[in-house]
Structures are given as structure tokens and as C-alpha cells.
């Protein structure tokens, strides 16, 4: 297959193309759905395809096929060049940042190879989780559980001499539960994911996670009081902090959004390129995106443009420090890429994406943050959330939440609503704890849509003098 | 193509009671633009073989995008072994028994590469036209798709289909905070009205200057088709019996009951060949039909496949997907009132032209929120005043009960946020709760 990719580079060179890259991806994935205890459907997908991206007369063009005979690949290269030529008069003059050619081969090790675990065993994990939910003796009429894994082999080559081979297996688990309590229906959705073998799933002890969550939400519903009004302090738990940093630090820091490339799709950003160095929050706010975290859901060592991955400081001590770049956005802003170009499969163009975004740990325990609150709310998990397309106005509705009175958790609070602007949120942070957690998500961007595996997380943080909504 | 037939025979030979084999090929040509320049083009040509089979009520599926006769037949063996290890799905009740007769579709043909070249020209002209209208910055996408499918099932179905879809989306900016968005879609290139979308998006953007912060509260809201389609697409997910069973429907236990105002009627109509979701048969080969989901406010049916229909003692609505029933072409019945008349007669209200990031707090009850994007206008005594920073935080089930009027501007919407093609007019919905972030 590497020969096929190499032949694309040679063919394009002969036709006068200034830059070409080819990516061959093969994957095998399996998935299992358990709906209210019944195995709804199980299956697997197998895929192998070729992506070609090139720059001709300054115009960028992309193409893909999974019909991998020589004639089809030749036809693809010709049609991609033809499109580039035709669009050139109306096209942005595309340039890529100068990067060192890389040659590497890497793979994520698995203790228990996802390909060797029987379907029976995978499904039985879901059944055990379902049993654990039922063992709470609570009424949970909706139990929708999904488990999946995939094993992706990739080869990337470009006309500058970069050649990268990678093998990344991943696992994921998603649940959607509906709890009936005191005549109310309470729902919760969440996802777990990692790169690695089946051991990454069993290590999570998902039976206990879901069992405990059902009991917690049940108690919250039975005993929860209304959220306090007026200005209060809040402690946000790691799940909330995770979604906060993903939505209002990661997304607005994507350089393609800032430059308007996603304006008709995922939107733009409240930041501009000259926002770098400006203040966004208190000095307790440091937010990082790091693809190189081992076994993370967003793990990679080289991005889909063949650039070596590294840790990126999006916000540091309250200041905006770095944006996420592809080679194109880097060239547009006279910098170099920080390896943020990712593609969800062979038939999608690489876009600027997050990997693993998190709030840097502080020095306190969560208990110490709570002790410092006279009147406030601890929000641990959420159900509903959204944010505008510039990533400025956001909303999080708490699922598990508690009232804090005189430094102590006193009682559950029902569905507090935090609706706040990004600068107000980050300016209100006065402390971060050291209880960091990472959570998994599939981040959506691009047209056609590309769901991208990411982690987001952080420790509990405390925000001062904010007002809850209705 | 003999591959699906061979695979079906292999499924039966190895003991599958039910099998559905579908070979699908999708060729696309796409042009993306931003900052009034084309930023990339895409040419994709991909083929996939999907196999659904049941073995003693064990249900398994696969999609193979690495294709050869040998690999496909090998996959059947693997799939059968896979099925043998699983527990049974007690809810599974089989697939449709054919053969069926299918309606005829009018012939249409254009080479996908030729369409792509026309797309580049249309985008270049759209950018130019917007500039002439005083729009300094546009972004969007133009897309042509040609799809073929061949379906063979153990229920005596042998059917094939081909079709085109075209889509154009343009967001116009007069400055960073002033934008308008419009989309169009069609099944014939000559029916793709790019010009109208440029006019609409540009018109909204030019009106949306210097917006001021909105006052939270309850408003009567006129949702333009792009915004209304977002609400309808989300609501219609509640109609699938799969959503009902999974706790994701706010229409559970509502069959035959009032779920919307009397003036609201919603169909799923895969037979409307002007919608890009149209098709002659569903995933198990049942001829598609016009399905009335909500008739004058009453929930008439859930969307079913053969298996779920048997479970509930009803007939399939021909909405089978490979895994679960799904809508294809949603149609909201139009009214006879002009949206301009509604605005002119409005004492106080809101006009929402687009919605973004719709998320549910509770799918079973309908509590949700969504963020107006692009032109958003406060209406005072019939006049429009640009406002910003609004969030609709309400209950979608309740909002449908508050549909006051459906306008006469019904049209197809497909967008980044609307995945199921939806033909809808502007909708006036009363007493919608609007919130705002704390600074």
C-alpha cells in the first residue's frame, strides 16, 4: 500500500504539482449496543482508503477513494489536479509553513489486543454494567449502552520527504440513562475513551461508575433544593472544567476559526490573531492542549500533515499564549505549525483540531476549595450545555450539584444553570485543585462532519461572585 | 453488480434466517470557500457493502469499505461466527417480505466531475454577486453528490436506485458581528437556486448592524425556515420508535394524543423527489410512502421498520435504517400567511433567522436550549431592531403546542445543523423563553 501512496506523489510531481501528500488508512472497528438489557445490534466495520491533497497553481484540492486499483487512483489524482486548476483563479493562494521532513514509525501498545477479545466478552461487559445499574433498585427505564473499539493503521507521505507510519487502537464507551424519581425523569449522557487495548475499558470500573451515578442522581432529585439566587461562589468539578476548556479555550484558539475558514460551519472565534499576549482570565488560569499524553483518546505523535506533536499552552497564567495551527494557518500568520491538523478518516481533509485539552492543576484539594466558600454551589456533572459559535456565551446545566454553606456541602441542588461569558468565567477563577481527571468526547467540526476523538479535563476550580441563571 | 447477490447467497448458505445486503457508491464534488475565496475543492469516490443478518434472533451488521469478492465472502463467515457468540435480541421480529413494486423516478444525469466544474463557477459567481451587493466577506460550501445503491434481501427484494443531491450554503458578513446565512438544496442542478441564497444571506447581514444586548424574557418568535428546520429536525427524532424505546423521545406514550397546536402537520415524505433524502425504498426494501407523523396537532404514528412494527402490532412506515427507523424527508405543512405580514402586525416579538448548538437537558421531556446565530431581530410595532446574545431556553415539546402560524414560504433546508432534509415554512411560536449570559 505504501507503493500506491508513493505512486501518487510521483504522478503528481510529473504533472507539475508543487506540493502533494497521500495518506492511506485502514481500520477495523467493532461496536455493541445494549438497549434496556437487550443486545440491540452488534457489528464491525472494515475500511481501507486513500486520501490525496495537493497544491497546484496555489490552489489546494483534496480527494479520496477506496477503490484502490491503479486506474481508479490515477483518475482520482487527475480529477483533484483538474479541480485545483479550475478553482485557482478564485482560490486563496495556499502556502504551507516550512517544516522539517520527518521519518517515523510508532504504535500504541495494547496489554489486551482489542482484536483478540471475543464479541461475547465485549457484550458481557455491557451486560455487567446494565446489571450494576439495575442493582441500585432504582427505576431506570432508559439504559442505552454502547461499547466500541477500533484499530487504525495509517501511512502518510508527502512530496517533501516526510514518511510516517502509525498504529493506534482505541476503545470507547458511551451511555445514556433515564432515571425515574419522584415522578420526574432525569437523564444523563457521558462518554469514556482511550487509546490502547481492552484493558483501558476494564480499568475504568464502569459498573461502579454507573451504579454510583444512578444513586447520586436519585438522591439529588429526591433531596435537591433550588439553586440560590444572587451572587455566589462556585466550585466546578473536573467534568465541568473539561467541557469548559474544550468549548471556550480550545475551540476559540483554533487558528482556522480565527481566520474565518470555518465561518459557515463550526463558526468563528471571539479571539483574533492579535489577541495573543492579551489577558483572558485570572493568573490561576493555565490551559493546555497536549496530543502526546500516552493512552489518551486524542493521542498522536505526528499529525495528519506529518508534523511532530507537542504540548501547546493555549492560556498561561491568564494570558492568551498560543493558537492551534495547521501548516496552512501557520503560514498565513507567519509562524510554524504546532501539529494540530487531524482528519477523522481517509475521506476527510485534515482540519485544525484539539487533542487533549485541560486546565492545569493547582495546589489545593477540592475540599480546600469548598472550605473557602461561604455561600455557593458545587457543580460536579452536567447534562445540557451549549455555546455560541464565537465561543463567548456558554451555558451548563448541572446534573450532580450541591449547596455549599460556610465551607461545607450541606444538601443537593437541582439543576443549577451557569450561563456566563468566557472572559467573566476565566476572570472569576481564584483557585484550582489538584484532582485532575480526563474525560472523552467526539468533537464535531468540518463539512462533511468529522467527529474527532478528544480528551478534555482538569481539576476542580473555584469561581467567585457569579450569578446562576434559570 | 453480482457482489451483493453472491454475498446474500453466502449469508443464506451459512444459516442466516434474514439477510440484507446493500452495495452503495457515493461520488462527491465539493467546493469550500471563506473570506470570499475558494479554499479547497474535494473529489471523493467511495464504495461500501453493508450486510445485516440475523441468526436465531442474533442481529449483526457490518460495513465493508475494503472490497473484493473474496474479502466480502470471508466477512460473511466472520459475521456468522460473530453472531453465534451473541445473546439473542428478543425484540427482533424479522425483515420485510417482498417482492415489491417501486414507483418510477424521472431520469436525470450529469457527470460528477462536470458538476464539480460548474460548482466552481457557481461559487465564483456567488462571491462576486455578494461583493456587488456590498458584502465584503462570504463563506460556505457547494456540493454535488451522486449515489447509487443496490439492495438484495432474503425477503425477495432485489432493487436498485440512483440519485443526485446538490447543496449550497452561504454565510454573508458585513463585519465580524453582522452576518446572515442561507442554504438551498435540490436533486437537479438547475433547481439549485444559488442566487436566491446569496440575496437572502446578504439581505439579513445588511439589516443586522450594531446589535444591542437582548432583554431576557418571553417572546413571540418568528423562526425563519433555516431556524425552524433545526427545531423540526430535533423534534422529529422523537418520532422514531427507537428513540421512544431508548428514552430519547418526548413523544413516548403520546400516540393519538395532542403534541402540537392544531395548525401543525408534519410528514416524513421520502416520495417527494425534490428533497435530497428522497428514495424509492427503505433499508429493507419496503417502498417508501408519505407518512403523517403529526396531523393537525395529533401524533399519528411513530416511525417503524418491519421488526418494530410487528412488536407493536402495527405496519411498517417504510422508515427502516440499517439499525433503526429514521426520518428521511421531513415536511411541515405550510400556511397561507406571509412572514412579512406577520412581522408588520407584530407589536413585540423576535425574528430568529438561524439556530446553532441545539442541546437537550432532557430528551424525554423536551427541555433544551439553542443559540440564535446570524441575524436576530427584536420586533417593535412591526419594525426590526438587531439584538444579540440570546439563548432560547425552553421546552421543545411545549413550543410545538405554541405554534401560532405556519407561513407560506415553505422550502427545503439542509445545513450544518440540520441533517435530515426538512421542508418547512417560517413558524411563529408564542411565549418562547429567551435567556442571556451573565457578563
Amino acid at each position: 500500500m505504501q507503493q500506491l501512496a508513493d505512486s501518487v506523489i510521483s504522478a503528481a510531481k510529473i504533472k507539475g504539482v508543487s506540493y502533494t501528500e497521500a495518506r492511506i488508512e485502514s481500520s477495523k472497528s467493532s461496536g455493541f449496543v445494549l438497549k434496556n438489557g437487550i443486545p440491540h445490534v452488534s457489528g464491525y466495520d472494515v475500511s481501507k482508503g486513500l486520501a490525496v491533497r495537493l497544491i497546484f497553481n496555489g490552489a489546494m484540492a483534496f480527494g479520496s477513494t477506496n477503490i484502490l486499483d491503479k486506474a481508479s487512483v490515477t483518475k482520482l489524482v487527475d480529477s483533484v489536479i483538474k479541480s485545483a486548476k479550475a478553482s485557482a483563479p478564485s482560490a486563496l493562494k495556499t502556502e504551507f509553513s516550512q517544516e522539517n521532513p520527518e521519518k517515523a514509525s510508532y504504535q500504541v501498545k495494547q496489554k489486551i489486543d482489542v482484536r483478540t477479545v471475543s464479541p461475547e466478552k465485549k457484550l458481557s461487559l455491557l451486560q455487567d454494567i446494565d446489571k450494576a445499574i439495575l442493582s441500585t433498585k432504582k427505576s431506570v427505564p432508559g439504559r442505552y449502552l454502547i461499547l466500541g473499539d477500533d484499530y487504525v493503521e495509517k501511512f502518510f507521505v508527502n512530496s517533501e520527504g516526510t514518511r510516517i507510519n502509525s498504529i493506534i487502537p482505541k476503545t470507547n464507551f458511551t451511555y445514556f440513562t433515564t432515571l425515574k424519581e419522584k415522578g420526574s425523569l432525569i437523564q444523563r449522557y457521558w462518554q469514556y475513551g482511550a487509546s490502547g487495548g481492552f484493558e483501558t475499558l476494564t480499568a475504568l470500573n464502569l459498573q461502579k461508575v454507573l451504579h454510583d451515578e444512578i444513586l447520586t442522581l436519585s438522591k439529588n432529585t429526591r433531596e435537591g433544593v433550588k439553586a440560590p439566587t444572587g451572587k455566589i461562589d462556585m466550585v466546578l468539578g473536573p467534568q465541568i472544567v473539561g467541557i469548559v476548556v474544550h468549548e471556550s479555550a480550545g475551540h476559540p484558539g483554533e487558528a482556522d476559526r480565527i481566520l474565518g475558514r470555518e465561518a459557515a460551519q463550526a463558526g468563528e472565534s471571539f479571539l483574533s490573531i492579535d489577541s495573543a499576549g492579551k489577558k483572558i482570565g485570572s493568573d490561576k488560569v493555565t490551559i493546555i492542549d497536549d496530543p502526546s499524553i500516552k493512552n489518551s483518546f486524542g493521542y498522536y505523535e505526528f499529525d495528519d500533515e506529518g508534523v511532530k506533536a507537542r504540548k501547546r499552552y493555549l492560556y498561561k497564567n491568564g494570558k492568551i499564549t498560543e493558537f492551534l495551527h495547521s501548516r496552512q494557518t501557520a503560514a498565513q500568520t507567519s509562524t510554524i505549525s504546532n501539529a494540530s491538523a487531524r482528519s477523522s478518516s481517509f475521506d476527510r481533509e485534515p482540519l485544525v483540531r484539539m487533542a487533549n485539552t485541560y486546565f492545569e492543576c493547582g495546589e489545593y484539594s477540592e475540599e480546600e476549595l469548598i472550605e473557602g466558600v461561604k455561600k455557593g454551589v458545587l457543580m460536579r456533572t452536567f447534562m445540557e450545555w451549549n455555546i455560541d459559535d464565537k465561543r463567548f456565551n456558554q451555558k451548563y446545566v448541572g446534573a450532580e450539584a450541591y449547596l455549599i454553606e460556610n465551607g461545607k456541602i450541606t444538601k443537593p441542588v437541582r439543576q443549577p444553570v451557569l450561563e456566563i461569558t468566557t472572559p467573566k468565567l476565566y476572570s472569576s477563577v481564584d483557585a484550582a485543585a489538584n484532582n485532575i481527571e480526563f474525560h472523552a468526547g467526539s468533537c464535531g467540526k468540518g463539512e462533511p462532519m468529522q467527529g474527532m476523538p478528544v480528551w478534555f479535563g482538569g481539576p476542580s476550580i473555584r469561581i467567585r461572585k457569579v450569578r446562576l441563571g434559570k | 453488480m453480482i457482489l451483493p447477490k453472491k454475498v446474500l447467497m453466502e449469508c443464506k448458505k451459512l444459516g442466516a434466517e434474514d439477510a440484507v445486503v446493500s452495495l452503495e457508491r457515493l461520488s462527491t464534488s465539493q467546493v469550500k470557500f471563506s473570506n470570499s475565496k475558494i479554499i479547497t475543492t474535494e473529489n471523493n469516490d467511495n464504495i461500501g457493502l453493508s450486510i445485516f443478518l440475523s441468526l436465531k434472533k442474533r442481529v449483526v451488521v457490518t460495513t465493508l469499505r475494503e472490497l473484493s469478492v473474496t474479502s466480502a465472502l470471508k466477512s460473511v463467515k466472520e459475521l456468522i461466527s460473530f453472531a453465534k457468540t451473541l445473546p439473542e435480541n428478543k425484540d427482533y421480529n424479522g425483515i420485510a417480505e417482498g417482492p415489491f413494486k417501486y414507483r418510477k423516478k424521472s431520469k436525470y444525469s450529469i457527470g460528477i466531475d462536470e458538476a464539480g466544474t460548474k460548482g466552481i463557477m457557481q461559487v465564483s459567481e456567488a462571491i462576486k454577486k455578494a461583493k456587488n451587493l456590498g458584502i465584503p466577506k462570504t463563506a460556505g460550501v457547494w456540493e454535488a453528490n451522486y449515489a447509487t445503491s443496490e439492495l438484495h434481501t432474503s425477503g425477495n427484494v432485489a432493487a436498485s436506485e440512483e440519485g443526485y443531491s446538490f447543496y449550497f450554503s452561504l454565510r454573508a458578513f458585513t463585519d465580524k458581528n453582522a452576518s446572515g446565512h442561507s442554504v438551498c438544496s435540490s436533486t437537479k442542478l438547475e433547481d439549485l437556486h444559488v442566487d436566491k441564497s446569496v440575496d437572502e444571506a446578504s439581505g439579513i447581514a445588511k439589516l443586522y448592524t450594531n446589535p444591542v444586548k437582548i432583554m431576557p424574557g418571553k417572546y413571540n418568535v418568528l423562526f425563519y425556515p433555516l431556524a425552524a428546520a433545526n427545531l423540526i429536525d430535533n423534534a422529529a427524532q422523537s418520532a422514531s420508535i427507537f428513540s421512544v424505546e431508548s428514552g430519547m423521545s418526548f413523544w413516548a406514550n403520546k400516540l393519538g394524543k395532542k403534541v402540537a397546536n392544531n395548525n401543525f402537520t408534519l410528514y416524513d415524505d421520502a416520495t417527494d423527489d425534490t428533497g435530497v433524502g428522497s428514495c424509492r425504498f427503505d433499508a429493507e426494501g419496503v417502498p417508501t410512502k408519505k407518512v403523517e407523523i403529526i396531523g393537525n396537532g395529533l401524533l399519528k404514528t411513530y416511525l417503524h421498520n418491519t421488526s418494530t412494527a410487528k412488536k407493536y402490532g402495527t405496519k411498517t412506515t417504510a422508515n427502516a435504517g440499517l439499525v433503526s427507523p429514521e426520518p428521511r424527508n421531513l415536511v411541515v405543512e405550510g400556511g397561507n400567511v406571509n412572514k412579512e405580514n406577520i412581522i408588520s402586525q407584530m407589536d413585540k416579538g423576535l425574528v430568529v433567522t438561524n439556530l446553532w448548538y441545539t442541546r437537550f437537558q432532557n430528551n424525554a421531556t423536551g427541555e433544551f436550549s439553542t443559540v440564535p446565530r446570524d441575524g436576530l431581530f427584536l420586533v417593535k410595532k412591526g419594525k426590526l431592531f438587531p439584538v444579540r446574545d440570546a439563548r432560547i431556553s425552553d421546552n421543545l415539546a411545549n413550543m410545538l403546542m405554541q405554534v401560532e402560524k405556519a407561513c407560506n414560504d415553505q422550502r427545503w433546508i439542509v445545513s450544518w445543523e440540520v441533517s435530515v432534509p426538512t421542508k418547512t415554512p417560517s413558524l411563529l411560536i408564542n411565549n418562547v423563553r429567551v435567556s442571556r449570559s451573565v457578563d
Side-chain angles (χ1 to χ4, degrees):
Chain A
M1 278 295 128
Q2 293 196 14
Q3 284 177 339
L4 192 66
D6 286 331
S7 75
V8 167
I9 306 296
S10 309
K13 192 177 176 185
I14 291 165
K15 293 182 180 186
V17 174
S18 58
Y19 171 84
T20 312
E21 65 190 31
R23 177 163 42 93
I24 289 193
E25 270 189 51
S26 72
S27 69
K28 182 159 186 181
S29 57
S30 71
F32 302 82
V33 177
L34 194 73
K35 191 176 74 178
N36 301 331
I38 294 169
H40 182 67
V41 68
S42 307
Y44 65 87
D45 292 343
V46 180
S47 164
K48 184 186 275 184
L50 166 77
V52 176
R53 193 171 64 152
L54 51 82
I55 301 171
F56 188 86
N57 287 350
M60 186 153 75
F62 174 88
S64 75
T65 186
N66 67 345
I67 306 164
L68 297 177
D69 58 81
K70 203 175 169 188
S72 300
V73 171
T74 303
K75 191 179 158 210
L76 173 74
V77 174
D78 288 346
S79 69
V80 175
I81 292 173
K82 190 178 159 198
S83 293
K85 263 187 194 171
S87 68
S90 306
L92 173 75
K93 183 101 178 147
T94 301
E95 288 177 3
F96 277 5
S97 58
Q98 291 295 314
E99 309 290 343
N100 292 329
E102 302 274 3
K103 286 192 170 68
S105 185
Y106 69 98
Q107 115 171 60
V108 172
K109 290 200 172 125
Q110 306 179 75
K111 282 183 189 152
I112 306 170
D113 192 322
V114 289
R115 296 167 300 171
T116 63
V117 180
S118 70
E120 201 175 8
K121 191 169 179 185
K122 289 174 183 173
L123 193 60
S124 75
L125 176 57
L126 286 184
Q127 290 172 316
D128 288 346
I129 296 166
D130 194 63
K131 280 179 199 156
I133 294 171
L134 293 176
S135 74
T136 60
K137 309 286 181 198
K138 300 292 174 188
S139 171
V140 190
R143 306 179 312 281
Y144 185 64
L145 314 175
I146 307 169
L147 184 146
D149 56 75
D150 60 357
Y151 185 91
V152 179
E153 293 179 75
K154 242 188 240 192
F155 172 64
F156 173 91
V157 59
N158 71 15
S159 53
E160 297 167 344
T162 291
R163 301 175 73 81
I164 310 289
N165 280 288
S166 66
I167 298 176
I168 304 184
K170 285 198 168 95
T171 61
N172 64 82
F173 168 72
T174 303
Y175 66 91
F176 187 95
T177 54
T178 305
L179 166 73
K180 195 171 181 184
E181 185 70 61
K182 277 177 77 178
S184 295
L185 294 171
I186 299 96
Q187 297 195 315
R188 173 86 170 126
Y189 151 93
W190 203 240
Q191 187 178 358
Y192 290 86
S195 58
F198 195 65
E199 71 282 356
T200 57
L201 279 174
T202 51
L204 292 167
N205 198 355
L206 292 163
Q207 295 92 323
K208 182 171 167 28
V209 169
L210 270 89
H211 173 273
D212 292 355
E213 180 167 281
I214 292 294
L215 291 178
T216 301
L217 290 178
S218 165
K219 189 176 179 204
N220 205 288
T221 309
R222 275 183 286 117
E223 300 173 11
V225 297
K226 277 188 176 174
T229 53
K231 283 195 174 175
I232 59 159
D233 297 336
M234 289 188 81
V235 175
L236 306 179
Q239 281 194 22
I240 310 279
V241 172
I243 194 75
V244 164
V245 298
H246 176 89
E247 300 289 12
S248 62
H251 275 308
E254 292 164 343
D256 57 346
R257 298 176 73 110
I258 296 170
L259 295 168
R261 193 187 196 272
E262 289 293 307
Q265 290 89 22
E268 297 195 322
S269 173
F270 70 94
L271 300 175
S272 59
I273 289 297
D274 56 14
S275 299
K278 292 185 180 159
K279 205 157 170 58
I280 184 72
S282 77
D283 61 2
K284 308 293 179 196
V285 176
T286 293
I287 296 168
I288 295 160
D289 188 83
D290 186 1
S292 66
I293 300 173
K294 300 283 182 204
N295 293 113
S296 62
F297 207 34
Y299 172 79
Y300 58 90
E301 283 187 24
F302 291 86
D303 75 354
D304 287 321
E305 292 180 335
V307 179
K308 175 90 176 133
R310 66 168 173 83
K311 195 173 187 177
R312 290 82 60 121
Y313 280 82
L314 305 177
Y315 301 161
K316 194 168 189 179
N317 300 328
K319 284 188 177 167
I320 298 156
T321 42
E322 187 174 6
F323 303 122
L324 297 173
H325 279 291
S326 64
R327 291 185 68 183
Q328 185 185 20
T329 62
Q332 281 177 286
T333 54
S334 305
T335 183
I336 56 167
S337 169
N338 51 20
S340 305
R342 301 175 72 191
S343 159
S344 65
S345 82
F346 73 87
D347 56 354
R348 298 285 188 269
E349 62 166 343
L351 294 173
V352 174
R353 308 304 297 262
M354 281 171 265
N356 305 300
T357 317
Y358 63 97
F359 197 108
E360 195 172 57
C361 273
E363 55 198 2
Y364 303 101
S365 65
E366 188 190 68
E367 292 71 27
E368 285 173 307
L369 298 192
I370 293 167
E371 279 168 17
V373 174
K374 195 171 176 198
K375 181 188 175 190
V377 166
L378 164 65
M379 198 193 280
R380 281 204 196 282
T381 64
F382 66 99
M383 179 62 195
E384 175 194 333
W385 89 103
N386 54 27
I387 187 163
D388 69 78
D389 73 329
K390 289 195 198 72
R391 307 285 156 172
F392 195 76
N393 289 300
Q394 58 215 285
K395 178 186 182 186
Y396 308 97
V397 180
E400 182 191 354
Y402 302 93
L403 195 64
I404 305 171
E405 292 172 304
N406 299 316
K408 288 196 166 58
I409 291 173
T410 53
K411 55 191 86 152
V413 173
R414 283 196 75 170
Q415 297 170 345
V417 178
L418 178 63
E419 197 169 355
I420 192 165
T421 65
T422 299
K424 171 69 179 171
L425 196 161
Y426 288 122
S427 304
S428 307
V429 178
D430 86 327
N434 52 14
N435 56 336
I436 192 162
E437 289 176 17
F438 290 99
H439 294 272
S442 180
C443 173
K445 191 174 174 183
E447 190 168 16
M449 177 61 80
Q450 299 193 44
M452 190 61 70
V454 294
W455 261 4
F456 40 74
S460 298
I461 62 170
R462 186 169 61 204
I463 56 176
R464 297 288 195 188
K465 293 180 183 168
V466 295
R467 207 180 283 274
L468 290 174
K470 287 178 186 171
Chain B
M1 182 71 79
I2 54 166
L3 182 62
K5 270 189 197 171
K6 274 196 172 177
V7 170
L8 179 64
M9 282 166 63
E10 187 74 2
C11 291
K12 287 199 230 173
K13 193 177 111 188
L14 295 178
E17 286 100 30
D18 299 323
V20 176
V21 182
S22 169
L23 183 73
E24 294 177 354
R25 184 168 183 170
L26 179 66
S27 307
T28 66
S29 189
Q30 195 188 62
V31 185
K32 280 186 187 161
F33 59 104
S34 71
N35 296 308
S36 304
K37 293 273 186 192
I38 292 175
I39 47 169
T40 191
T41 54
E42 285 198 20
N43 299 78
N44 300 308
D45 184 18
N46 292 296
I47 193 162
L49 183 81
S50 299
I51 308 168
F52 167 103
L53 64 83
S54 73
L55 184 79
K56 295 179 183 166
K57 293 194 104 164
R58 284 137 178 100
V59 179
V60 287
V61 295
T62 186
T63 300
L64 308 172
R65 294 175 80 204
E66 181 186 4
L67 269 190
S68 69
V69 174
T70 316
S71 68
L73 296 180
K74 188 179 155 214
S75 284
V76 176
K77 281 197 183 81
E78 282 179 15
L79 208 55
I80 292 279
S81 307
F82 191 97
K84 282 179 181 168
T85 65
L86 300 171
E88 59 179 70
N89 175 352
K90 289 173 189 155
D91 282 347
Y92 177 71
N93 297 295
I95 59 169
E97 240 348 283
F100 299 103
K101 279 189 177 168
Y102 302 109
R103 68 192 166 83
K104 285 187 177 160
K105 269 174 89 170
S106 61
K107 286 270 178 198
Y108 180 74
S109 181
I110 184 171
I112 201 74
D113 282 353
E114 180 196 344
T117 307
K118 286 187 177 168
I120 290 168
M121 285 162 58
Q122 286 197 343
V123 167
S124 304
E125 283 161 16
I127 292 169
K128 204 181 290 175
K129 178 173 180 179
K131 276 187 183 165
N132 290 339
L133 289 169
I135 303 296
K137 177 177 147 181
T138 50
V141 68
W142 183 102
E143 190 175 292
N145 297 291
Y146 172 58
T148 60
S149 73
E150 190 178 344
L151 181 73
H152 291 264
T153 80
S154 55
N156 291 317
V157 168
S160 63
E161 179 153 47
E162 61 178 333
Y164 290 85
S165 65
F166 301 92
Y167 161 62
F168 179 69
S169 157
L170 181 134
R171 198 169 180 206
F173 292 80
T174 50
D175 69 42
K176 195 170 170 65
N177 297 311
S179 57
H181 201 153
S182 181
V183 296
C184 56
S185 59
S186 66
T187 49
K188 292 178 182 169
L189 184 53
E190 53 269 32
D191 295 337
L192 189 74
H193 299 299
V194 168
D195 270 9
K196 282 188 186 170
S197 285
V198 177
D199 286 337
E200 185 183 45
S202 303
I204 294 168
K206 284 163 84 172
L207 270 180
Y208 193 58
T209 51
N210 303 317
V212 298
K213 283 183 185 175
I214 196 166
M215 286 298 293
K218 288 211 167 185
Y219 292 87
N220 296 340
V221 180
L222 181 66
F223 293 93
Y224 276 19
L226 185 56
N230 187 311
L231 299 176
I232 301 305
D233 182 16
N234 275 285
Q237 303 308 317
S238 273
S240 170
I241 192 67
F242 178 81
S243 302
V244 174
E245 291 183 335
S246 310
M248 295 181 203
S249 169
F250 49 74
W251 289 334
N253 304 313
K254 299 273 186 185
L255 207 55
K257 293 181 183 164
K258 195 168 164 61
V259 294
N261 204 358
N262 295 342
N263 58 2
F264 187 82
T265 292
L266 173 68
Y267 299 98
D268 182 51
D269 188 4
T271 69
D272 185 340
D273 288 338
T274 61
V276 299
S278 67
C279 51
R280 295 192 304 147
F281 48 84
D282 72 0
E284 52 180 325
V286 180
T288 51
K289 56 184 181 178
K290 185 173 182 176
V291 180
E292 189 179 40
I293 299 171
I294 297 173
N296 299 116
L298 297 178
L299 184 65
K300 299 284 189 171
T301 185
Y302 295 123
L303 302 179
H304 283 285
N305 58 26
T306 297
S307 175
T308 63
K310 279 186 187 164
K311 181 179 171 186
Y312 291 94
T314 185
K315 286 184 178 170
T316 177
T317 56
N319 284 95
L322 194 61
V323 174
S324 57
E326 56 197 26
R328 291 204 169 71
N329 256 346
L330 294 166
V331 179
V332 178
E333 208 161 70
N336 50 18
V337 59
N338 244 298
K339 69 170 179 273
E340 288 75 18
N341 282 355
I342 287 182
I343 293 169
S344 67
Q345 287 164 22
M346 213 178 230
D347 190 44
K348 189 191 168 196
L350 269 187
V351 169
V352 174
T353 65
N354 194 6
L355 289 172
W356 153 265
Y357 223 129
T358 304
R359 288 290 185 281
F360 283 86
Q361 185 184 131
N362 193 322
N363 292 69
T365 60
E367 266 102 34
F368 85 122
S369 68
T370 183
V371 185
R373 160 166 152 166
D374 305 301
L376 170 69
F377 304 95
L378 179 68
V379 185
K380 282 197 280 188
K381 298 198 184 311
K383 289 191 173 161
L384 299 179
F385 299 89
V387 285
R388 63 180 168 90
D389 296 347
R391 175 176 280 104
I392 289 167
S393 299
D394 209 309
N395 179 303
L396 189 50
N398 293 344
M399 280 172 66
L400 292 173
M401 303 287 260
Q402 294 283 326
V403 174
E404 178 68 28
K405 281 192 171 99
C407 297
N408 58 4
D409 55 348
Q410 193 195 34
R411 65 187 166 97
W412 284 110
I413 299 292
V414 180
S415 78
W416 202 71
E417 288 267 326
V418 180
S419 55
V420 181
T422 302
K423 190 178 186 179
T424 180
S426 298
L427 296 174
L428 175 65
I429 304 182
N430 288 342
N431 298 313
V432 177
R433 197 174 155 267
V434 174
S435 61
R436 194 184 83 193
S437 288
V438 181
D439 293 323

